[in-house]
Amino acid sequence: MGGETEAVNPAREGTKAAAHYTLTIAAGGSETVRLRLAPTGSPMPLGRDFDRVFRDRRAEADAFYRTLIPDGATEDEARVMRQALAGMLWSKQYYHFDVEAWLADHGLEPWHVPPRAMRNHEWFHMVSDDIVAMPDKWEYPWFAAWDLAFHTLALAVVDADFAKEQLELLLRGTHLHPNGQIPAYEWNFTDVNPPVHAWAAYFLYILEQRRTGRADRDFLERVFQKLLTNFTWWVNRKDPAGRNVFQGGFLGLDNIGVFDRSAPLPTGGQLEQADGTAWMALYCQNMLQIAAELVEHNPAAYEEHVLKFAEHFMWISGAMDRTGDLPDDLWDEEDGFFYDVLRLPDGQAVRLKVRSMVGLLPLCAATVFRPAQLAKVRGLGDRLRRFADRHPSLTATLASARSGAPGGPRLLSVVDEKKLLRVLAYLLSEDEFLSPYGIRSLSRHHAEHPYTFWVHGEEYRVGYLPAESDSGMFGGNSNWRGPVWFPMNALIIRGLLNLYAFHGDDFTVECPTGSGVRMNLYEVAEEISARLTRLFLRDTDGHRPVYGGQEKFRNDPHWRDLISFHEYFHGDNGAGIGAAHQTGWTGLVATLMSIFGNLTPEDFQADPARRRTP
């Protein structure tokens, strides 16, 4: 091409090409380019049937999506859901990374101690050679562990088999570290992402079973065996004092903390994390769900796992709020909220009183079990009663010790009813977390009341920032100090639905707080979902909040219905922020629209012997 002989592979092979068309188009006019990828020598690749075939394929796609979109969806809702799912499919990309070869290029061998700091040098075993659902093929063209788990929840709506493949990807021997750690993301595999793979696996299993009637236990069992090693890694590496209070670093929430939670603390000591501990409580619940599902078909292999995870959950839950209002508890009785605790080198403990998503996460660690699920496990009731008798101070504060009516559901939850009401008052206050477009990552309270902490004359400050970050922490290109993020909103909705399945219609709260309007927890979950969906729907003026003040996208008829699914959203006005092409986990809007468009409150309470809530 142009005399550049090296521009084309002489073997006439390869996957990269560019088509260059020069067109002169009159104002208001249009031109059509017909393009088809076909083997060399194919007869008439652009023959007379081209337009007919194109119309047929489009009609087939329309018919396929009609089977996915709820019957009651409006035209605009259907548009949002279909474009979200299309974005998820469009985000597939081939990803190749041979870490050993990459390290060798930098002069490092796997059996040598590196002479200098080199990221990922502990991961020489890892070889990625896969199609991966990327967060964003333009700005983030690589995998991230917890992003990928959330991607599968959206992909499952449109392609369940591919969703399951993606969930298992990072659990393969080519990715999972021999010590059990899941690689976090390309920049630093050793960083720690939240442990959401167990929940995602159970969600995919239940969703597929409800849709097709087929229970893919082989998939569930493969995932469970791999996650056992990862759970053990968490227990061994992230609970340094052996007290069932976990660390983990930034845990995906970048700049949410007072300090960089992935770096050494300027005060020295350790940070005991409310979110890290709540993540592990939820991890226990999810592993217990999977073990309870598998035990019927292989009691010898899974009975002990059910018992193990039930007891481990109670240890973790009890550690989050011990009997009495102790100054180093994660729960603050005076405020009615969970906080991180800074444990200083001299043994003092200081609560870092930032009202953030960190303190809401314990609400998510709530899971309902039906008696029929637990009845499959021989001796479970007796062993748990003996556990309670041995540890009365531990079980005194446990919501898991409560049960509903005879034959009704059982609840494992970090928060009892009293704590639940206090946390919900913050969650549903429009002056705190509840925005017109979902749940904020940081309370709006901190706009007028920023939290400050002084160390050696230096101020560390957390204030409410509804849009972009004002900090260089984690590169400064994301912000968890106010904006709305879909993954955490989805987890909150999941927790609320499980709590509803236990408490039922009679348990109501004000939503919004102080409004006088009372809702049960299903209605609260539905309201949060509706606010999230509202980001992308036309309002009464015909504008989509996601586009903020961008006039071209708000008003131009050629652009206003082409919807962008941003990385995160302004905490007050809903404008899209961050990666503009990131369907990624924001594609969860399609999952939420599917759930609340196809299910009713009765679906979460009907058939109590068999109903399971993901």
Side-chain angles (χ1 to χ4, degrees):
M1 179 177 181
E4 296 182 38
T5 58
E6 295 182 356
V8 177
N9 186 336
R12 303 183 68 81
E13 297 174 349
T15 59
K16 292 186 177 180
H20 182 200
Y21 295 88
T22 301
L23 302 172
T24 301
I25 305 175
S30 67
E31 293 284 349
T32 300
V33 174
R34 291 173 174 82
L35 175 66
R36 179 179 177 184
L37 300 179
T40 302
S42 296
M44 299 185 67
L46 300 177
R48 65 175 63 90
D49 287 338
F50 183 91
D51 290 338
R52 178 188 60 77
V53 171
F54 199 86
R55 286 194 303 271
D56 289 348
R57 297 295 89 80
R58 171 173 279 183
E60 290 167 1
D62 291 341
F64 171 71
Y65 278 102
R66 279 196 295 272
T67 68
L68 303 181
I69 294 169
D71 291 338
T74 66
E75 181 182 359
D76 201 32
E77 289 169 342
R79 181 182 295 114
V80 169
M81 187 171 175
R82 178 166 175 174
Q83 290 189 33
L85 294 174
M88 296 305 304
L89 295 175
W90 185 250
S91 295
K92 296 179 183 181
Q93 183 166 297
Y94 173 68
Y95 181 81
H96 178 254
F97 190 6
D98 183 333
V99 178
E100 185 174 359
W102 183 82
L103 290 172
D105 287 344
H106 290 77
L108 296 178
E109 299 292 343
W111 50 86
H112 292 160
V113 176
R116 63 191 184 281
M118 175 63 68
R119 63 189 176 95
N120 298 332
H121 71 269
E122 309 97 327
W123 293 82
F124 54 84
H125 74 285
M126 182 169 163
V127 180
S128 183
D129 184 25
D130 305 279
I131 302 296
V132 182
M134 302 291 175
D136 175 358
K137 289 202 293 187
W138 179 257
E139 297 190 50
Y140 299 125
W142 34 260
F143 77 86
W146 79 311
D147 296 60
L148 188 56
F150 284 107
H151 295 173
T152 68
L153 306 185
L155 285 165
V157 177
V158 69
D159 189 345
D161 289 336
F162 181 67
K164 290 187 292 184
E165 290 173 10
Q166 292 293 286
L167 192 75
E168 291 192 81
L169 176 63
L170 300 187
L171 302 179
R172 295 180 193 162
T174 53
H175 291 72
L176 188 70
H177 197 281
N179 66 18
Q181 185 178 8
I182 295 173
Y185 46 80
E186 178 184 307
W187 176 250
N188 185 1
F189 294 150
T190 305
D191 235 333
V192 183
N193 274 186
V196 290
H197 271 64
W199 169 53
Y202 189 74
F203 185 100
L204 297 182
Y205 172 83
I206 294 299
L207 184 65
E208 183 178 36
Q209 186 178 37
R210 287 182 177 176
R211 285 188 167 177
T212 68
R214 185 176 71 92
D216 190 353
R217 293 189 183 87
D218 289 342
F219 159 75
L220 203 59
E221 191 160 10
R222 289 194 305 270
V223 170
F224 184 82
Q225 296 303 324
K226 295 291 188 177
L227 289 175
L228 281 175
T229 63
N230 179 248
F231 186 90
T232 303
W233 177 85
W234 268 90
V235 172
N236 290 339
R237 297 293 185 93
K238 297 302 174 183
D239 178 17
R243 297 172 49 244
N244 294 294
V245 178
F246 290 82
Q247 301 175 14
F250 85 116
L251 286 175
L253 307 186
D254 293 9
N255 65 338
I256 202 166
V258 180
F259 312 114
D260 181 343
R261 300 195 303 172
S262 287
L265 297 171
T267 60
Q270 296 176 335
L271 191 65
E272 297 177 349
Q273 297 178 216
D275 58 336
T277 307
W279 280 121
M280 285 303 287
L282 179 60
Y283 201 172
C284 281
Q285 293 172 5
N286 300 146
M287 293 295 277
L288 176 54
Q289 283 180 301
I290 297 173
E293 185 68 26
L294 296 172
V295 71
E296 182 178 5
H297 304 277
N298 194 346
Y302 291 100
E303 280 182 349
E304 186 60 31
H305 287 307
V306 173
L307 297 165
K308 162 192 165 61
F309 286 111
E311 290 188 356
H312 206 141
F313 166 76
M314 288 192 282
W315 281 113
I316 293 173
S317 182
M320 293 195 73
D321 178 28
R322 293 164 292 167
T323 303
D325 184 22
L326 302 177
D328 60 347
D329 272 349
L330 300 172
W331 172 257
D332 186 297
E333 180 62 28
E334 181 180 0
D335 291 0
F337 205 72
F338 288 95
Y339 300 114
D340 284 346
V341 171
L342 175 62
R343 194 168 291 278
L344 298 168
D346 63 4
Q348 293 186 68
V350 180
R351 290 193 186 109
L352 302 178
K353 294 193 173 187
V354 178
R355 293 209 285 270
S356 74
M357 191 63 72
V358 166
L360 295 179
L361 193 63
L363 185 72
C364 306
T367 301
V368 160
F369 292 86
R370 303 295 174 178
Q373 289 175 275
L374 302 179
K376 303 170 187 175
V377 185
R378 293 172 298 183
L380 177 62
D382 289 341
R383 183 159 165 177
L384 294 182
R385 277 190 291 273
R386 289 197 301 272
F387 182 90
D389 291 342
R390 286 197 311 272
H391 308 288
S393 62
L394 175 66
T395 56
T397 62
L398 289 182
S400 57
R402 302 181 63 244
S403 64
R410 306 281 173 150
L411 175 68
L412 289 184
S413 176
V414 169
V415 293
D416 60 16
E417 190 170 317
K418 179 182 175 183
K419 292 186 181 68
L420 174 61
L421 288 169
R422 298 188 72 183
V423 174
L424 285 175
Y426 289 112
L427 177 77
L428 302 178
S429 170
E430 294 180 320
D431 295 326
E432 298 267 357
F433 289 99
L434 184 63
S435 86
Y437 305 102
I439 303 301
R440 303 177 176 108
S441 49
L442 187 83
S443 170
R444 204 174 188 284
H445 166 83
H446 292 300
E448 289 77 33
H449 305 91
Y451 180 83
T452 58
F453 194 96
W454 290 86
V455 182
H456 307 310
E458 183 176 355
E459 182 187 42
Y460 292 81
R461 179 186 181 95
V462 177
Y464 175 69
L465 302 170
E468 301 286 6
S469 173
D470 65 355
S471 163
M473 195 183 298
F474 284 89
N477 63 344
S478 73
N479 182 24
W480 288 82
R481 294 184 176 181
V484 172
W485 292 76
F486 261 77
M488 301 306 294
N489 273 259
L491 277 166
I492 288 170
I493 289 170
R494 180 254 178 215
L496 291 169
L497 290 175
N498 273 269
L499 289 163
Y500 169 74
F502 177 77
H503 289 289
D505 293 324
D506 294 335
F507 184 92
T508 62
V509 293
E510 277 191 314
C511 181
T513 300
S515 67
V517 177
R518 301 197 70 84
M519 298 183 185
N520 63 44
L521 296 184
Y522 177 91
E523 292 167 332
V524 171
E526 189 175 36
E527 173 65 18
I528 294 172
S529 178
R531 291 183 182 224
L532 291 165
T533 305
R534 199 180 299 155
L535 283 161
F536 310 105
L537 297 173
R538 289 187 185 178
D539 60 21
T540 54
D541 296 323
H543 299 149
R544 302 184 191 277
V546 63
Y547 287 134
Q550 300 179 71
E551 289 302 317
K552 169 66 72 174
F553 297 107
R554 281 162 54 92
N555 297 313
D556 190 318
H558 298 97
W559 289 96
R560 66 187 181 193
D561 288 338
L562 301 178
I563 302 162
S564 294
F565 298 88
H566 288 66
E567 185 180 6
Y568 53 100
F569 303 88
H570 194 291
D572 293 334
N573 63 35
I577 308 173
H581 315 78
Q582 176 158 342
T583 305
W585 54 28
T586 304
L588 286 165
V589 67
T591 310
L592 295 175
M593 295 174 80
S594 177
I595 289 172
F596 290 101
N598 291 309
L599 300 178
T600 66
E602 290 72 25
D603 287 307
F604 290 91
Q605 293 194 332
D607 195 4
R610 292 186 294 144
R611 178 67 62 188
R612 288 158 296 178
T613 305

